[in-house]
Amino acid sequence: MATIAVATTRSDEWFGHPKGLYVCFFTEMWERFSFYGMKALLLLYLVKYHLFSDANGYNLIGAYGGLVYAMPVIGGLLADRWLGMRKAVVFGGILLVLGHLGMAIEGHPASSVNGVVTRDAGALQVFYFSLALIIMGVGFLKPNISTIVGKLYPENDPRRDSGFSLFYAGINLGAAISGVLCGWLGETFGWGWGFGAAGIGMIAGLANFLYGQKYLMGHAEPREPTKLRERVFGPFSREHLIYLGALAGLVVVWGLIQSHSLFLKIIPGVFEPSPVLLGMHLVTLCLLGGILWFMFTRCTKIERQQMFVVFAFIIFCLLFFTLYEQTYGSWVLFSDRVMNHGALGVEWTASELTSLGAVFILVLAPIFAWAWPRLDKAGLNPSKPAKSAYGLTFAGLAFLVLVWSARHPQTNGLTSIWWFVFAYFVLEVGEMLLSPIGLSAVTELSVPRVVSLMMGGWFLGTSYSEVLAAQLGKLSAMEIPEGAVLNIADALAKYDQLFVFSAKIGIASGIVVLIATPFIKRWMHGVK
Ligand code: PHE
């Protein structure tokens, strides 16, 4: 691959970083604003407006989450090989604007008469199509905007790490504002207002990128522009075919997402995946097959062992996010149904509270950034696998906090909001220990030629987390008969069961990873 060396001058920089970093920062901030603003409302909207059963609501958010993080594997590869990152981000951004604005079309609320639910079928089709647009949009935008950040710095530039930290702060700034804003608009004025606000945020993100792309200094251009322009099928160039393929993919995803509650009895009782899961398994098999082939034919023994360690980190992330992603599933219904909402003189709605995760990241990130070098100097900096083990344990402990709160309700029978806030805090300590470490391990331990494939694997791991988080959430699904009020004690007992199980997953996997740490370290061959 030919790389173009671009001399950077002071005028290309702003506060010590390339101007392109700020372009990526704001684009991703707005993209995550729209993504998480929408996600904060999604399950509540399904259950309360379209009267989905809890189980079907969880199935849909699982299918959506699974597809939305499987698609970056393809979007990343297409950009890497042909399209270039800049064009991919613009294309993804356009799909995202359309998808988020489409979500604002609510149609009629569902009604239930004698147990028969009537839904607005037309509006639901618009809704599914909007989800498909968002899934394809994230697939083109999310992996590539992060890759651009990496390309803005020459290799071994000491500013690269702080550049990525700033970028991660942008992600969480967007998520922190949007949960509160879109949640408040959506739950106070009507769902469409919240979803529409997410769409307007994405317009700002796209406009920012279109204006700022000149500052990327050619780092995000296609590898071989002539090949991209070459006509390969009648009047169509490779570039046209990519866009047309994406539009065809859109239709496929539109169909797939509607099959969220369908399970294919391939081997009855043993292998009954949903069509979405089957698609994910296929992508995984192709990716895994390709990488294993590469590892066993093109790698030295040391490289191979380091690549296996990357697989291990991907699995730790998968486990962690299986617990974490419940914050947009079971935690939302838990806080909506069985918790007191008053704190600091404000009644906080369930969707607004999803912002807590990002808020705590913003608070904790500088503390961790300050602490690591100091611990390192004192010889107390834990290894990467040990940090992952602690991260998983903290995720488990966060669920124990919720177990405690469910077993000690306040005088009105509902749980305290402050325990909920504390659970988020503990969970985010876990995220700080595990997520950035996993990401840097992928980039440091993978053989450079396949680093974008391994990043795809990392996203794919998260897509399984989404499906598993939704499956776990279903353990707490409850059907409230028409006109009946929720029995709080019964509901708390269900959440108790789910949270105990989730806590066990976190703590047990933390212990297993800690025991495996010396072996993993050996296969890291000196990478810290
Ligand atoms: N907060 C992170 C983000 O939105 C969570 C994440 C982790 C997303 C891994 C995708 C993959 O970027």
Side-chain angles (χ1 to χ4, degrees):
M1 189 186 83
T3 42
I4 311 157
V6 183
T8 47
T9 58
R10 285 263 155 230
S11 64
D12 300 325
E13 292 183 0
W14 208 47
F15 289 108
H17 283 280
K19 281 184 180 164
L21 174 72
Y22 301 97
V23 176
C24 295
F25 176 100
F26 286 111
T27 306
E28 182 61 347
M29 183 193 84
W30 283 117
E31 188 268 333
R32 291 286 99 179
F33 170 94
S34 59
F35 183 80
Y36 284 116
M38 179 282 228
K39 207 170 174 184
L41 289 166
L42 184 59
L43 184 57
L44 291 168
Y45 174 62
L46 291 170
V47 171
K48 292 187 175 185
Y49 190 79
H50 288 299
L51 299 186
F52 276 43
S53 65
D54 280 11
N56 275 347
Y58 282 118
N59 282 339
L60 178 57
I61 61 165
Y64 165 70
L67 287 168
V68 91
Y69 283 135
M71 213 48 86
V73 180
I74 301 168
L77 276 180
L78 285 175
D80 204 30
R81 182 85 189 76
W82 289 295
L83 197 56
M85 319 305 161
R86 185 182 57 80
K87 284 172 187 277
V89 169
V90 172
F91 183 58
I94 294 169
L95 297 180
L96 280 167
V97 166
L98 295 174
H100 283 295
L101 289 179
M103 289 285 296
I105 300 167
E106 301 170 8
H108 302 298
S111 60
S112 172
V113 180
N114 299 327
V116 181
V117 181
T118 317
R119 300 191 177 88
D120 186 337
L124 273 174
Q125 283 309 318
V126 174
F127 165 73
Y128 287 130
F129 190 69
S130 305
L131 287 184
L133 282 163
I134 295 173
I135 289 164
M136 295 304 281
V138 170
F140 275 90
L141 189 144
K142 172 92 170 141
N144 296 312
I145 193 88
S146 323
T147 314
I148 298 176
V149 175
K151 291 197 173 221
L152 292 172
Y153 300 90
E155 228 167 277
N156 299 325
D157 188 327
R159 297 171 306 167
R160 177 192 287 261
D161 275 358
S162 59
F164 268 105
S165 302
L166 266 172
F167 182 70
Y168 207 71
I171 288 179
N172 287 292
L173 193 59
I177 301 168
S178 73
V180 174
L181 185 67
C182 300
W184 172 67
L185 288 170
E187 286 198 83
T188 314
F189 299 101
W191 306 100
W193 288 95
F195 292 130
I200 291 170
M202 195 56 230
I203 294 177
L206 179 61
N208 163 72
F209 190 80
L210 288 174
Y211 169 77
Q213 53 186 333
K214 54 181 180 277
Y215 295 113
L216 303 178
M217 324 277 307
H219 289 301
E221 294 310 305
R223 272 192 203 193
E224 296 166 280
T226 38
K227 249 192 162 168
L228 190 66
R229 279 195 299 268
E230 201 175 79
R231 290 192 180 177
V232 281
F233 186 75
F236 299 115
S237 66
R238 281 204 172 81
E239 185 171 359
H240 291 138
L241 287 185
I242 290 176
Y243 300 140
L244 287 174
L247 296 183
L250 197 59
V251 178
V252 174
V253 172
W254 186 17
L256 273 180
I257 195 83
Q258 309 197 22
S259 67
H260 55 85
S261 298
L262 193 74
F263 295 90
L264 306 169
K265 296 191 185 323
I266 295 182
I267 308 173
V270 182
F271 187 54
E272 299 186 358
S274 69
V276 168
L277 206 52
L278 199 65
M280 282 165 55
H281 290 336
L282 281 178
V283 176
T284 307
L285 276 180
C286 295
L287 192 65
L288 201 61
I291 293 174
L292 284 174
W293 173 83
F294 177 82
M295 281 165 66
F296 282 96
T297 59
R298 299 281 187 277
C299 291
T300 64
K301 191 171 164 205
I302 290 181
E303 287 172 336
R304 191 155 51 239
Q305 292 182 341
Q306 289 179 326
M307 297 272 281
F308 274 122
V309 173
V310 178
F311 285 160
F313 278 109
I314 289 174
I315 292 169
F316 305 156
C317 271
L318 188 161
L319 285 167
F320 178 84
F321 282 105
T322 298
L323 300 184
Y324 181 91
E325 286 299 337
Q326 287 189 57
T327 54
Y328 288 91
S330 60
W331 288 34
V332 168
L333 293 189
F334 169 82
S335 62
D336 186 60
R337 290 172 177 171
V338 295
M339 196 182 80
N340 286 311
H341 291 108
L344 310 173
V346 177
E347 285 291 310
W348 302 91
T349 66
S351 57
E352 289 165 16
L353 291 173
T354 59
S355 278
L356 281 168
V359 169
F360 279 128
I361 289 275
L362 291 172
V363 172
L364 287 168
I367 301 176
F368 274 80
W370 175 85
W372 289 138
R374 280 162 184 77
L375 283 174
D376 208 37
K377 262 196 195 145
L380 292 171
N381 195 359
S383 67
K384 284 194 165 87
K387 280 180 186 157
S388 302
Y390 301 143
L392 284 164
T393 310
F394 269 92
L397 292 176
F399 278 87
L400 273 193
V401 172
L402 290 185
V403 171
W404 168 271
S405 88
R407 291 185 187 178
H408 297 85
Q410 296 184 298
T411 41
N412 66 355
L414 301 175
T415 63
S416 154
I417 189 173
W418 289 109
W419 283 121
F420 191 67
V421 174
F422 185 57
Y424 257 109
F425 173 79
V426 177
L427 184 68
E428 293 309 339
V429 172
E431 182 176 349
M432 286 313 302
L433 284 164
L434 181 138
S435 182
I437 276 89
L439 246 189
S440 76
V442 174
T443 52
E444 281 172 320
L445 288 162
S446 301
V447 179
R449 249 184 311 164
V450 290
V451 89
S452 49
L453 274 183
M454 296 300 268
M455 282 299 272
W458 201 70
F459 275 105
L460 202 55
T462 318
S463 90
Y464 280 92
S465 308
E466 293 270 359
V467 176
L468 290 170
Q471 283 303 108
L472 282 177
K474 270 162 66 177
L475 294 177
S476 66
M478 52 199 83
E479 298 319 322
I480 310 158
E482 224 175 293
V485 280
L486 177 74
N487 181 321
I488 305 287
D490 286 353
L492 281 177
K494 278 211 153 175
Y495 285 116
D496 188 284
Q497 202 188 346
L498 166 66
F499 294 158
V500 168
F501 186 51
S502 304
K504 282 184 186 163
I505 296 177
I507 295 168
S509 54
I511 293 171
V512 172
V513 176
L514 201 59
I515 294 171
T517 291
F519 303 100
I520 300 173
K521 264 164 70 179
R522 207 171 307 151
W523 277 23
M524 287 169 73
H525 296 283
V527 173
K528 284 270 166 57

